[in-house]
Amino acid sequence: MGKIYCIMGKSSAGKDTIFKEIRERLPELLTVASYTTRPAREGERDGTEYFFVSEDTLDAFSREGKIIELRTYNTVHGQWKYATIDDGQINLDKSGYLILGTLESYKKIREYYGKENVTPFYIEVEDGERLSRSIERERRQEAPSYAEICRRFLADMEDFSEEKLKDAGITRRYYNYDKLQCTEEIVKEIVEDIRRWEPLRT
């Protein structure tokens, strides 16, 4: 019996980088690509970070009852949707999984697969530092959108409010002021957890 380890945090908290580091250190954990209607960013590949799909494709999944969770964001570029789909990527009888998510997607996945099968890792960075990182990252884009940074920053304050974190049962934070230290802390906990559930599969 495997488990799902969900990495989450506000934008520019470094969760994507830490996610990639954990993947390299724990290759036995499989990953799950979510679906989105937003355009791919520079360097993103279809089927790796996300499956980049149309609204019609998500509507088809909905009719088939395969949507585990679906989020819609009103961005400065219009509505962007993100979804986790029951498309066969996850099989807890065979493996453990590492995924990136939001607080709401974590709650939906936990509801779908069972609380005992989903472990959250909430990564946190001081807001001023996050904003600085966001601006620096956006500068490297071919067409920077600083308005979208502001929208996302304010949305994160609401989406990851203390009240919502408490409601989701998030009691521990992993502070990403030192990427190596934060990654080591999370990897250590996952390895210890794997040692507990791995014998159950044999």
Side-chain angles (χ1 to χ4, degrees):
M1 187 71 175
K3 290 184 69 174
I4 299 170
Y5 301 99
C6 183
I7 308 296
M8 71 186 92
K10 297 174 183 174
S11 58
S12 295
K15 58 184 180 294
D16 297 85
T17 301
I18 289 177
F19 176 83
K20 291 175 183 177
E21 289 281 341
I22 297 171
R23 284 187 63 188
E24 290 182 5
R25 298 192 191 199
L26 301 175
E28 65 269 30
L29 293 179
L30 303 183
T31 58
V32 178
S34 298
Y35 290 69
T36 183
T37 60
R38 77 158 169 78
R41 293 176 182 147
E42 186 176 346
E44 291 182 328
R45 294 171 296 173
D46 187 50
T48 302
E49 289 83 5
Y50 296 96
F51 288 108
F52 298 96
V53 299
S54 66
E55 293 266 0
D56 289 342
T57 298
L58 287 186
D59 288 343
F61 281 130
S62 179
R63 290 193 297 271
E64 294 168 6
K66 293 185 176 181
I67 293 182
I68 297 172
E69 60 88 21
L70 173 66
R71 292 156 279 134
T72 301
Y73 297 100
N74 294 308
T75 78
V76 296
H77 304 291
Q79 282 195 344
W80 287 348
K81 294 183 177 181
Y82 294 79
T84 303
I85 306 298
D86 187 356
D87 59 357
Q89 290 186 76
I90 297 177
N91 184 343
L92 295 181
D93 290 331
K94 294 185 177 181
S95 183
Y97 296 84
L98 184 71
I99 66 172
L100 272 172
T102 65
L103 194 59
E104 285 304 309
S105 67
Y106 157 68
K107 289 167 62 178
K108 291 290 187 180
I109 290 169
R110 181 183 64 182
E111 180 181 324
Y112 194 87
Y113 289 101
K115 184 177 180 179
E116 69 281 4
N117 294 320
V118 186
T119 300
F121 291 94
Y122 175 59
I123 297 171
E124 190 164 271
V125 171
E126 187 271 328
D127 286 337
E129 175 65 19
R130 284 197 310 106
L131 188 56
S132 177
R133 292 180 185 182
S134 294
I135 293 171
E136 183 59 33
R137 183 177 68 182
E138 197 66 23
R139 283 197 181 109
R140 296 195 294 267
Q141 298 297 315
E142 184 175 339
S145 176
Y146 299 108
E148 175 58 19
I149 286 177
C150 295
R151 184 209 65 79
R152 195 162 59 234
F153 184 84
L154 294 174
D156 278 342
M157 299 296 288
E158 171 63 23
D159 293 342
F160 290 93
S161 68
E162 291 299 319
E163 182 179 354
K164 289 183 178 179
L165 287 169
K166 182 179 179 181
D167 179 64
I170 303 297
T171 57
R172 182 167 183 182
R173 292 123 194 274
Y174 298 82
Y175 295 98
N176 187 22
Y177 297 113
D178 182 311
K179 181 189 72 174
L180 180 60
Q181 182 178 339
C182 186
T183 302
E184 290 281 1
E185 187 178 3
I186 295 173
V187 167
K188 181 181 178 181
E189 289 201 23
I190 293 177
V191 168
E192 290 176 351
D193 196 46
I194 289 175
R195 286 173 181 164
R196 286 191 289 269
W197 59 255
E198 186 70 24
L200 300 177
R201 296 174 55 201
T202 60

